[in-house]
Each structure stands twice: as C-alpha cells, then as structure tokens.
Amino acid sequence: MNKFINADASACIGCKTCEIACVLAHGEEIRTIESAHFNSRLDVIEVGDITVPVMCHQCEDAPCMLACPNGAIIRQNNHIKVLQEKCIGCKTCVLACPFGAMKVKLKIEDLIVAGHARGKRYKAQAIKCDICYSDPNGPACVRTCPTKALSLVDLDDLIKIQEKRQRDSVLAIR
C-alpha cells in the first residue's frame, strides 16, 4: 500500500511553509513565488475561512498513472512517481487526477544539438508529490509544518485510525 500525506484542515494556518519546504527539498532555487516559476508539489488552498494543503493522495489505482499515454508515471517504492524523461506534457494526468494534485509546468533547459549548445528550450514536466521518497527523514512538508497539520500515513497508521473509529462508533451507541 502506498504511503500518503494527510492534511488536517483544522490545524492548518495557511502559512505555506510546506510549499516552500517542498520546493527546497526538490533542489529548486526559490527566486519568486509566482506560480509559473514556483514548483511546489502541493498547494495551500484557501476557500472561505479554511486553508489546507492539497496534494497527491498516492492513489492505489492512480488515475494519473493509468491515463498517461507514455508510461511516464509509475509506482515505485510505495509511491507514484513521474519519470520526467518520458513526460511529453500532454496534461492527461492533470485531467485524470480527482484531487487536482497534478500540474504540468514548463522548465527552461539548455538546447544541445550534436553536442553543441544551441540556446534554450522549454521542456514540459508533470509535477506531483513524491513524498520525498529519497529523503530518509521523510517528507519536508511534514517536518516543517509549524502546527503539525501534515502527517505521513502508512498502512499501520490506517489500521490504527480504523480501529479507533470503530471503537468510537461502538462507544457512541451507549
């Protein structure tokens, strides 16, 4: 079962520390928070007086993965991963994601032709949460959230949550 990050809307204060931690954890320099150049893998969304991060749920039957016509989205080490070298920027994954967690951004790269620099080019990249799988300390957003609104959930955690809710349901009957 894939791990995923759970967001507690009642604890989120909308500070966007998680977004900044995400960008830094993925080795990107922050020059601006303008959305076209800020590649956080989660977005703090504000609706009315509620703020909460929206991110990939690491779905077991990942619609983004099933919809990708180029095999650029795969399951690996208990999370759903994008293979950037295979992404063609078709946005099918964006349309397939039921949570609005997929993004396609353009990245400026050096254009190399026959081993020679020929200027710059745009390369599309599908971007989604990868739960910071390569970091042994876990997701940066979870570590940096000042209110602990984010938590990494695995199968054992889900079983504990389910058991607690079942006990609470029984106690509510009394």
Side-chain angles (χ1 to χ4, degrees), residues 93-129:
C93 57
V94 176
L95 295 172
C97 177
F99 302 103
M102 291 293 306
K103 304 175 193 174
V104 173
K105 298 268 185 140
L106 294 176
K107 180 180 179 183
I108 299 173
E109 294 181 339
D110 292 328
L111 176 62
I112 307 294
V113 178
H116 300 284
R118 298 287 188 217
K120 302 288 183 186
R121 73 175 191 138
Y122 288 100
K123 167 69 175 98
Q125 291 185 319
I127 296 175
K128 62 172 284 310
C129 173

Side-chain angles (χ1 to χ4, degrees), residues 5 22 26 40-42 55-58 79-82 101-102 127-132 139 141:
I5 297 171
C22 176
H26 289 85
S40 175
R41 278 122 179 105
L42 68 149
M55 67 196 81
C56 176
H57 289 224
Q58 309 295 330
H79 75 284
I80 305 299
K81 176 183 180 178
V82 177
M102 291 293 306
I127 296 175
K128 62 172 284 310
C129 173
D130 60 4
I131 61 171
C132 294
C141 58

Side-chain angles (χ1 to χ4, degrees), residues 1-166:
M1 174 177 268
N2 293 335
K3 296 177 183 176
F4 65 98
I5 297 171
N6 184 45
D8 179 356
S10 67
C12 180
I13 58 174
C15 66
K16 299 190 177 208
T17 301
C18 53
E19 290 183 359
I20 294 168
C22 176
V23 172
L24 294 174
H26 289 85
E28 297 181 27
E29 183 179 325
I30 297 177
R31 286 180 251 152
T32 177
I33 58 170
E34 179 185 332
S35 69
H37 305 288
F38 187 78
N39 295 324
S40 175
R41 278 122 179 105
L42 68 149
D43 293 304
V44 175
I45 303 297
E46 182 176 350
V47 177
D49 60 348
I50 298 171
T51 58
V52 68
V54 173
M55 67 196 81
C56 176
H57 289 224
Q58 309 295 330
C59 302
E60 297 303 321
D61 296 327
C64 59
M65 181 175 69
L66 299 174
C68 181
N70 213 31
I73 302 175
I74 63 170
R75 178 184 320 278
Q76 185 178 63
N77 300 328
N78 297 326
H79 75 284
I80 305 299
K81 176 183 180 178
V82 177
L83 302 173
Q84 295 301 337
E85 66 277 9
K86 295 181 86 175
C87 179
I88 58 174
C90 68
K91 303 168 201 68
T92 304
C93 57
V94 176
L95 295 172
C97 177
F99 302 103
M102 291 293 306
K103 304 175 193 174
V104 173
K105 298 268 185 140
L106 294 176
K107 180 180 179 183
I108 299 173
E109 294 181 339
D110 292 328
L111 176 62
I112 307 294
V113 178
H116 300 284
R118 298 287 188 217
K120 302 288 183 186
R121 73 175 191 138
Y122 288 100
K123 167 69 175 98
Q125 291 185 319
I127 296 175
K128 62 172 284 310
C129 173
D130 60 4
I131 61 171
C132 294
Y133 70 93
S134 61
D135 187 336
N137 297 315
C141 58
V142 172
R143 292 193 321 266
T144 58
C145 178
T147 63
K148 307 297 181 206
L150 298 173
S151 57
L152 183 63
V153 178
D154 63 14
L155 180 59
D156 291 339
D157 297 322
L158 274 180
I159 291 170
K160 289 175 188 169
I161 291 167
Q162 181 184 31
E163 289 173 350
K164 180 184 181 318
R165 289 188 179 159
Q166 288 172 340

